[in-house]
Amino acid sequence: MADMSPIFRRRPARAPEDRLVTLIRKPGCHLCDDAQSVIEKVCGDLGVPWEHKDISEDPQLHDQYWEQIPVVLVDGEQHTFWRVDEDRLRKALTD
């Protein structure tokens, strides 16, 4: 019997420790602080590593995201901006 077509094969889930959440923020930003609190909780619960990058120290990030701060990336892809929904982030990291 032939193997199933890749179209029908479900992509294997990635282990939590193989994921990465990135918070792009700026100093003195209360929305950034709120976003970081949600990220710390969700990533802590799931064992997912996370990092933050300061938009004021990176001209490329500044140009790309200035009007959307805070921005959350999951595995390098933009997940959300301004407000982080805990349930949505948790779902993105466990699907």
Side-chain angles (χ1 to χ4, degrees), residues 19-64:
R19 312 300 302 266
L20 178 63
V21 174
T22 303
L23 171 61
I24 301 171
R25 58 170 300 150
K26 66 181 180 180
C29 166
H30 73 279
L31 285 179
C32 300
D33 295 338
D34 293 347
Q36 184 166 325
S37 294
V38 173
I39 291 168
E40 286 174 345
K41 180 179 189 311
V42 172
C43 289
D45 288 350
L46 299 176
V48 173
W50 72 277
E51 65 182 0
H52 67 83
K53 296 184 178 182
D54 185 337
I55 199 170
S56 66
E57 296 175 1
D58 186 322
Q60 183 179 352
L61 290 177
H62 182 278
D63 291 346
Q64 189 171 359

Side-chain angles (χ1 to χ4, degrees), residues 7 13 18-19 24 28 30 40 46 54 56 59 63 65 68 71 74 79 84 86 94:
I7 294 170
D18 293 336
R19 312 300 302 266
I24 301 171
H30 73 279
E40 286 174 345
L46 299 176
D54 185 337
S56 66
D63 291 346
Y65 295 117
Q68 298 178 333
V71 175
V74 173
H79 169 72
V84 182
E86 180 179 338
T94 54

